[in-house]
């Protein structure tokens, strides 16, 4: 009998998960194609409405930073939860577990693969931005905070996506819900034509609770190192993080009671 | 001397909501080298039994084993895999190997004629190819205890026979234990040496195939396809319970058997003689059990 010692993280499992994660064409369309498309369209619209040409750099950088949030939303919130729910519906985690691949191993390797894929997409987005857009050079603190924020936001998307998939366990339902969330985030985040300033008060109240809003509205200030009040933005991360955390807790609890995972 | 025990089941009960799917009162133990055929009608609890051993369902009672979950290999009744990549990559990830560098795996793949399926996605495989995909990986695990839940369901006659033939020769000189759920008794004639008979969640009997035969059918049985004429000819002979399309004549002694065969020759009738027929064991065990439990 061969000693079956599976490492939690292994190259073969990461390759497998990378194929899984990149195997869904929607992820490429919504996570890579769409943000780059939006970047060109929205920048053009915004710039053409500008009276003052000295503001072009500011406007394009602002749009560039805001649109970049579509990448984790599409890849993690949508992409991940969709493959996860599909797998759960088919009983694949259970099947893999019978082959000695524990569910936490699958999740670990999937997280790493998502991270690799996400980084590649963001880097590609930046390359396109740097080549084709007239972007403001950031200060060091600006770029560090950006990377930090996009990672935290991606993590929240992951927790939320995982919770939804685990709770619903159905591909169709999960797909509906995350698609809806994706558009809600884009609309309230100010990416679908209505900027924060033009929103009604109730809309603004919702928008304030979403991290996406701050990427669109304020990140240029952080990017260029000007003084900024971080409190509202921090609150939005805490709010969405808390909701996702609670959902995940409920999902895992329900799962454990059903006798799955062991 | 009996082989060491691998697994003991005692007082096992499984509920699905209000329904009781499985209730095993008397202890059952699976020993090293056992080839257990698990039989019973649809819904008898066969899959549920496997799932409880694998801890995939909640149960009351005790299932004791020193084996770790990694030492138990399982072909489930339904097996699904991701459709985002060709089966080759799924296989390599699950088995943590490279097909090009793994002699044993290459051997199994060609043994099951799976080469051309490696570049296809799982959902594009035929029913038999899907079964073989799981079987190859289960066999690669080389586990001390392996479950096969209806490996041959949905396969055509020829594919089924070939598959069983391959399994028989693969396990021939190995001392691994197998539990095989099947509705095709002729498969179990070759693959099993013990039988676990389930009905409506209860164990009707469990034991060595030949001992069960003796217990329920005696020394030997002569099986005829039913016809009115045969019924008249053998009306005064002792019969065993059998499905309606058969007549099962009990041969308690050699003399009795000779007498029956002479009669058969005289009337030019076809027959089968058996001292291990699973269908007849099953029918008689079930009948005796229901008699005992209705008193
Ligand atoms: N997940 C479930 N929820 C509710 N009832 C279930 C569930 N799984 C099985 N059952 C019920 O438990 C009983 C035993 O089912 P099981 O799958 O063990 O039968 P089986 O012997 O494997 O049958 P088959 O030969 O059709 O595969 C059946 O009555 C079935 O309806
Ligand atoms: Mg079954």
């Amino acid at each position: 009998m061969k000693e079956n010692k599976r490492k939690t993280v292994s190259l073969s499992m990461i390759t497998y998960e990378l194929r899984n994660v990149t195997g869904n064409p929607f992820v490429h369309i919504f996570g890579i194609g769409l943000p780059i498309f939006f970047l060109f369209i929205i920048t053009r619209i915004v710039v053409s409405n500008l009276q003052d040409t000295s503001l072009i750099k500011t406007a394009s950088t602002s749009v560039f930073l805001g649109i970049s949030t579509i990448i984790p939303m599409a890849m993690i919130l949508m992409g991940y939860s969709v493959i996860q729910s599909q797998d759960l519906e088919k009983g694949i985690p259970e099947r893999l577990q019978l082959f000695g691949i524990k569910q936490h191993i699958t999740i670990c390797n999937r997280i790493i693969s998502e991270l690799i894929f996400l980084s590649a997409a963001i880097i590609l987005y930046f390359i396109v931005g740097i080549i084709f857009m007239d972007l403001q050079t950031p200060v060091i603190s600006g770029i560090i905070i950006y990377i930090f924020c996009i990672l935290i936001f991606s993590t929240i998307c992951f927790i939320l996506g995982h919770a939804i998939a685990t709770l619903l366990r159905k591909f169709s339902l999960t797909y509906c819900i995350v698609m809806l969330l994706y558009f809600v985030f884009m609309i309230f985040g100010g990416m679908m034509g209505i900027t924060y300033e033009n929103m009604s008060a109730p809309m603004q109240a919702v928008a304030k609770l979403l991290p996406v809003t701050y990427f669109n509205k304020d990140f240029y200030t952080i990017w260029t190192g000007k003084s900024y009040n971080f409190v509202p933005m921090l609150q939005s991360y805490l709010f969405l993080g808390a909701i996702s955390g609670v959902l995940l807790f409920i999902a895992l609890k329900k799962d454990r009671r059903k006798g799955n995972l062991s | 001397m009996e082989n060491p025990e691998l697994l003991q089941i005692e007082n096992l009960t499984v509920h699905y909501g209000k329904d009781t799917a499985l209730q095993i009162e008397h202890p059952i133990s699976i020993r090293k080298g056992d080839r257990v055929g698990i039989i019973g009608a649809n819904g008898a609890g066969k899959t549920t039994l496997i799932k409880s051993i694998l801890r995939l369902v909640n149960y009351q009672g005790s299932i004791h084993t020193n084996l770790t979950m990694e030492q138990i290999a399982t072909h489930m009744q339904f097996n699904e895999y991701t459709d985002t990549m060709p089966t080759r990559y799924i296989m390599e990830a699950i088995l943590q190997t490279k097909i090009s560098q793994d002699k044993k795996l290459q051997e199994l793949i060609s043994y099951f004629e799976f080469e051309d399926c490696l570049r296809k996605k799982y959902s594009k495989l035929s029913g038999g190819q899907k079964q073989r995909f799981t079987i190859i990986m289960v066999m690669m695990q080389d586990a001390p205890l392996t479950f096969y839940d209806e490996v041959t369901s949905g396969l055509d006659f020829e594919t089924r026979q070939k598959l069983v033939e391959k399994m028989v020769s693969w396990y021939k000189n190995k001392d691994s234990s197998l539990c095989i759920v099947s509705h095709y008794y002729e498969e179990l004639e070759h693959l099993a040496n013990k039988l676990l008979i389930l009905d409506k969640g209860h164990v009707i009997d469990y034991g060595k195939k030949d001992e069960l035969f003796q217990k329920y059918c005696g020394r030997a049985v002569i099986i005829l396809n039913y016809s009115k004429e045969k019924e008249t000819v053998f009306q005064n002979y002792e019969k065993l319970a059998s499905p309606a399309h058969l007549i099962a004549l009990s041969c308690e002694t050699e003399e009795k058997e000779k007498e029956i065969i002479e009669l058969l020759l005289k009337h030019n009738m076809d027959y089968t003689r058996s001292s291990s027929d699973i269908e007849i064991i099953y029918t008689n065990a079930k009948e005796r059990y229901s008699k005992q439990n209705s008193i």
Side-chain angles (χ1 to χ4, degrees):
Chain A
M1 160 93 201
K2 186 183 74 180
E3 191 65 22
N4 191 354
K5 272 234 152 40
R6 261 183 195 274
K7 283 178 266 163
T8 308
V9 170
S10 65
L11 196 61
S12 66
M13 280 306 285
I14 291 177
T15 328
Y16 168 79
E17 288 301 346
L18 258 179
R19 284 183 213 277
N20 249 333
V21 163
T22 55
N24 175 357
F26 287 104
V27 176
H28 299 270
I29 297 169
F30 287 107
I32 300 176
L34 199 71
I36 291 176
F37 175 73
F38 268 26
L39 179 62
F40 282 103
I41 296 287
I42 296 182
T43 309
R44 174 150 304 175
I45 295 170
V46 171
V47 167
S48 69
N49 288 337
L50 282 179
Q51 315 293 331
D52 185 353
T53 48
S54 69
L55 288 177
I56 290 181
K57 229 183 174 106
T58 310
S60 349
T61 310
S62 216
V63 170
F64 175 80
L65 293 172
I67 297 291
S68 72
T69 52
I70 293 181
I71 302 171
M73 285 197 289
M75 284 192 164
I76 313 286
L77 182 60
M78 260 172 62
Y80 170 77
S81 58
V82 161
I83 47 169
Q84 185 70 9
S85 62
Q86 219 161 13
D87 279 14
L88 286 172
E89 192 171 346
K90 286 184 176 175
I92 294 175
E94 216 167 67
R95 182 58 265 188
L96 292 182
Q97 191 167 308
L98 293 176
F99 280 119
I101 307 171
K102 301 229 168 59
Q103 303 199 8
H104 74 261
I105 297 185
T106 309
I107 303 269
C108 281
N109 288 290
R110 193 162 282 180
I111 290 174
I112 293 172
S113 317
E114 291 282 4
L115 194 63
I116 294 172
F117 191 34
L118 179 76
S119 310
I122 291 179
I123 290 170
L124 180 72
Y125 179 78
F126 266 73
I127 292 174
V128 171
I130 290 164
I131 295 175
F132 296 102
M133 299 289 143
D134 186 11
L135 297 181
Q136 178 74 49
T137 323
V139 296
I140 296 286
S141 69
I143 190 88
I144 290 174
I145 296 173
Y146 174 82
I147 292 173
F148 186 72
C149 285
I150 206 92
L151 279 178
I152 298 290
F153 181 60
S154 305
T155 310
I156 295 175
C157 284
F158 181 83
I159 295 171
L160 190 58
H162 189 72
I164 291 170
T166 313
L167 275 174
L168 301 178
R169 287 183 164 259
K170 280 255 176 303
F171 164 72
S172 53
L173 265 179
T174 306
Y175 192 62
C176 262
I177 299 285
V178 292
M179 197 71 170
L180 203 73
L181 276 177
Y182 175 77
F183 282 113
V184 165
F185 282 5
M186 292 225 293
I187 292 167
F188 284 88
M191 281 180 267
M192 299 295 268
I194 321 169
T195 57
Y196 181 79
E197 291 74 25
N198 297 328
M199 285 178 196
S200 60
M203 254 190 108
Q204 279 188 344
V206 177
K208 263 194 223 160
L209 299 174
L210 302 175
V212 204
T213 307
Y214 301 91
F215 275 100
N216 280 285
K217 167 164 97 73
D218 297 338
F219 226 93
Y220 181 79
T221 318
I222 301 168
W223 190 252
T224 47
K226 299 202 184 73
S227 81
Y228 179 67
N229 176 16
F230 282 93
V231 176
M233 183 168 108
L234 206 67
Q235 278 168 345
S236 74
Y237 281 90
L238 290 177
F239 172 76
L240 198 63
I243 289 198
S244 310
V246 169
L247 276 177
L248 184 67
F249 181 76
I250 296 170
L252 294 181
K253 202 152 174 159
K254 187 181 148 209
D255 221 34
R256 196 140 311 154
R257 210 178 37 234
K258 265 188 64 191
N260 295 311
L261 281 165
S262 51
Chain B
M1 206 190 80
E2 287 201 282
N3 285 331
E5 287 188 346
L6 289 185
L7 189 102
Q8 295 115 296
I9 298 172
E10 245 170 294
N11 262 322
L12 181 74
T13 316
V14 179
H15 297 284
Y16 291 118
K18 280 204 195 82
D19 304 329
T20 307
L22 196 61
Q23 193 163 11
I24 299 181
E25 282 115 21
H26 300 292
I28 286 178
S29 70
I30 295 171
R31 293 172 184 277
K32 192 173 170 188
D34 277 354
R35 306 286 158 92
V36 182
I38 303 177
I39 57 177
N42 291 137
K46 305 178 296 296
T47 302
T48 303
L49 174 63
I50 295 181
K51 284 190 174 169
S52 39
I53 294 172
L54 297 168
R55 314 254 190 285
L56 293 175
V57 291
N58 290 324
Y59 60 85
Q60 281 94 52
S62 99
I63 299 175
H64 180 78
T65 177
N66 288 328
L67 299 173
T68 63
M69 283 297 135
E70 282 73 38
Q71 289 174 304
I72 302 179
T74 314
H75 170 286
M76 290 302 267
Q77 192 168 2
F78 303 102
N79 303 279
E80 281 292 341
Y81 302 90
T82 182
D83 241 351
T84 50
M85 65 192 90
T87 52
R88 150 193 298 276
Y89 299 118
I90 304 176
M91 194 178 258
E92 291 186 334
I94 287 177
L95 299 173
Q96 290 183 295
T97 184
K98 283 263 173 285
I99 294 172
S100 58
Q101 289 159 19
D102 196 322
K103 275 265 148 9
K104 187 177 160 201
L105 181 54
Q106 286 169 15
E107 203 181 296
L108 263 175
I109 287 171
S110 69
Y111 194 70
F112 282 105
E113 293 153 31
F114 199 76
E115 293 93 341
D116 292 336
C117 300
L118 286 171
R119 60 189 160 73
K120 292 190 188 166
K121 290 190 174 163
Y122 186 71
S123 63
K124 300 284 182 305
L125 300 180
S126 77
Q129 291 166 339
K130 280 182 179 164
Q131 297 288 38
R132 280 184 262 167
F133 180 61
T134 305
I135 295 173
I136 290 172
M137 294 194 288
V138 164
M139 284 182 167
M140 276 297 285
Q141 280 181 289
D142 222 349
L145 178 59
T146 305
F147 291 97
Y148 286 104
D149 195 347
E150 301 197 19
V151 253
T152 55
S153 287
L155 308 186
D156 67 68
F157 181 73
E158 204 187 334
T159 315
R160 221 168 69 207
Q161 283 202 317
K162 257 167 61 185
L163 194 63
V164 171
E165 231 167 73
K166 284 182 172 165
M167 286 177 64
V168 170
S169 69
W170 181 261
Y171 285 109
K172 192 160 204 155
N173 298 313
K174 294 192 165 69
D175 63 358
S176 36
S177 307
L178 304 178
C179 291
I180 307 141
V181 174
S182 179
H183 294 289
Y184 301 103
Y185 300 134
E186 71 276 12
E187 285 170 23
L188 297 176
E189 305 276 354
H190 306 292
L191 276 167
N193 57 21
K194 282 191 176 180
L195 288 179
L196 175 59
I197 308 172
L198 292 176
D199 191 50
K200 302 193 182 83
H202 295 279
V203 175
I204 294 209
D205 211 336
Y206 173 56
K208 296 213 174 83
K209 208 162 61 178
D210 46 356
E211 288 174 8
L212 288 181
F213 187 87
Q214 269 177 18
K215 178 170 169 187
Y216 292 105
C217 314
R219 194 181 68 89
V221 62
I222 285 181
I223 304 163
L224 320 171
N225 283 322
Y226 179 87
S227 78
K228 202 89 214 157
E229 189 201 352
K230 287 172 189 160
E231 195 182 71
T232 340
V233 172
F234 291 101
Q235 60 182 336
N236 294 323
Y237 285 76
E238 195 194 333
K239 293 186 197 72
L240 293 163
S242 69
H245 68 285
L246 299 175
I247 297 173
L249 300 166
S250 160
C251 311
E252 266 322 314
T253 58
E254 234 180 278
E255 289 69 44
K256 195 83 194 162
E257 191 174 338
K258 278 185 186 143
E259 193 185 323
I260 293 173
I261 292 175
E262 262 169 39
L263 251 176
L264 285 163
L265 288 174
K266 203 172 104 193
H267 289 86
N268 191 26
M269 288 169 172
D270 296 339
Y271 67 95
T272 317
R273 180 208 191 262
S274 170
S275 55
S276 66
D277 191 275
I278 293 174
E279 191 170 21
I280 303 296
I281 298 178
Y282 175 72
T283 318
N284 286 278
K286 215 173 125 176
E287 186 167 290
R288 194 180 297 180
Y289 183 85
S290 64
K291 263 189 204 147
Q292 280 168 359
N293 284 274
S294 62
I295 301 164

